[in-house]
Each structure stands twice: as C-alpha cells, then as structure tokens.
C-alpha cells in the first residue's frame, strides 16, 4: 500500500498549522535548513516572512529554487515536502499580522505583530510548488 498522499490530502496537510523547515542551497556546504512560519492555500504558493539581512535572506540571492518541509509531530508520522522557484516581495504589516495570528492566535498575534513593526528589511518569500514528496503513515 502506498503511503503517498492524494492532491487533496497533501493540500490540506500543508495548509494546516505546522512549523516548516526551509532549505536553501549553500556553496561548498550542506543546505541551510531552519524552522520557519509559513502559510499556504491549496493551489497557491507557500509564503513566509524573513529578514532580507538574515542568512536565509542573503542566500536567496544565489539560488533559483528552495524547499520547504512540514511534518506532523505525533505518530503516525506524516509529512509534505515541496520544492520550486520562489519570488520575493516587500512585506507589509498585514503579512506580519496574518502570520502572527496564524501561529500565536487572535490574542497574542496582534501583540507580536505590533512589536515587530519597524522591520523594514523583512521580505515575503513565496515558493511555487513544482515537486511534491509526501508520506502519511496513517495509511498503514
């Protein structure tokens, strides 16, 4: 029996709340892999906010594609991993507020977003998923 998710299953899993792991290629080193908040609506791009001056942000200047993996933390284990080209846009307060409420809730999210004001070096990085890898051990 295949553990692969259907398109509907993978879309629903990726749209659910998980901390993602973004992977960005580095020259002469292993890829940088770090946790990150992200959002996804089925059929669209996966987007995240990061500092342009962070190691993640600086590495983006040298690559054309990046990856993101989201996983369940409890058994039975499941994951969705995507890879594809990305685009960069300037972030707005709405981006920060949306992401903060998504991860911290309606009470703490706005406080976090307000405390994050002034981060003018923040960018929105959107990945267009072209390659998908999935596994759902609930199917065993």
């Amino acid at each position: 029996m295949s553990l692969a998710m259907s398109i509907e299953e993978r879309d629903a899993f990726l749209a659910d709340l998980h901390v993602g792991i973004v992977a960005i290629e580095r020259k002469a080193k292993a890829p940088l892999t770090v946790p990150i908040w992200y959002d996804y609506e089925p059929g669209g791009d996966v987007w995240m906010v990061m500092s342009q001056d962070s190691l993640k942000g600086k590495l983006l200047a040298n690559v054309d594609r990046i990856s993101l993996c989201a996983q369940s933390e409890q058994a039975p284990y499941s994951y969705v991993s995507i890879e594809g080209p990305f685009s960069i846009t300037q972030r707005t307060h709405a981006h920060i507020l949306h992401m903060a409420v998504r991860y911290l809730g309606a009470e703490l999210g706005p406080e976090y977003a307000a405390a994050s004001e002034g981060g003018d070096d923040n960018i929105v990085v959107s990945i267009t998923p072209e390659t998908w890898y999935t596994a759902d051990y609930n199917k065993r």
Side-chain angles (χ1 to χ4, degrees):
M1 171 183 275
S2 172
L3 300 177
M5 294 181 190
S6 68
I7 292 171
E8 294 79 15
E9 290 168 333
R10 76 182 192 198
D11 279 349
F13 185 91
L14 194 58
D16 200 4
L17 187 62
H18 303 279
V19 173
I21 302 293
V22 65
I24 306 170
E25 183 181 357
R26 294 190 287 184
K27 293 182 184 200
K29 291 185 177 184
L32 176 71
T33 54
V34 291
I36 195 161
W37 292 352
Y38 75 91
D39 198 7
Y40 172 73
E41 289 189 27
D45 288 348
V46 174
W47 66 275
M48 61 208 97
V49 178
M50 66 181 69
S51 168
Q52 186 173 315
D53 295 330
S54 69
L55 180 56
K56 295 183 301 282
K58 290 176 182 175
L59 287 172
L60 294 176
N62 302 316
V63 299
D64 297 322
R65 306 170 76 77
I66 58 178
S67 299
L68 181 120
C69 181
Q71 66 179 12
S72 61
E73 295 294 330
Q74 298 88 13
Y77 182 72
S78 300
Y79 74 86
V80 170
S81 181
I82 57 127
E83 178 265 331
F86 65 92
S87 62
I88 298 173
T89 56
Q90 202 59 36
R91 72 97 177 147
T92 65
H93 176 72
H95 290 114
I96 299 291
L97 180 60
H98 174 87
M99 200 66 75
V101 169
R102 174 172 162 77
Y103 279 89
L104 301 175
E107 186 175 322
L108 293 177
E111 292 177 29
Y112 179 92
S116 298
E117 282 305 311
D120 294 333
D121 69 328
N122 282 337
I123 54 175
V124 174
V125 178
S126 300
I127 307 170
T128 302
E130 287 186 347
T131 306
W132 295 77
Y133 301 99
T134 67
D136 181 356
Y137 286 89
N138 288 295
K139 295 183 175 195
R140 269 197 145 158

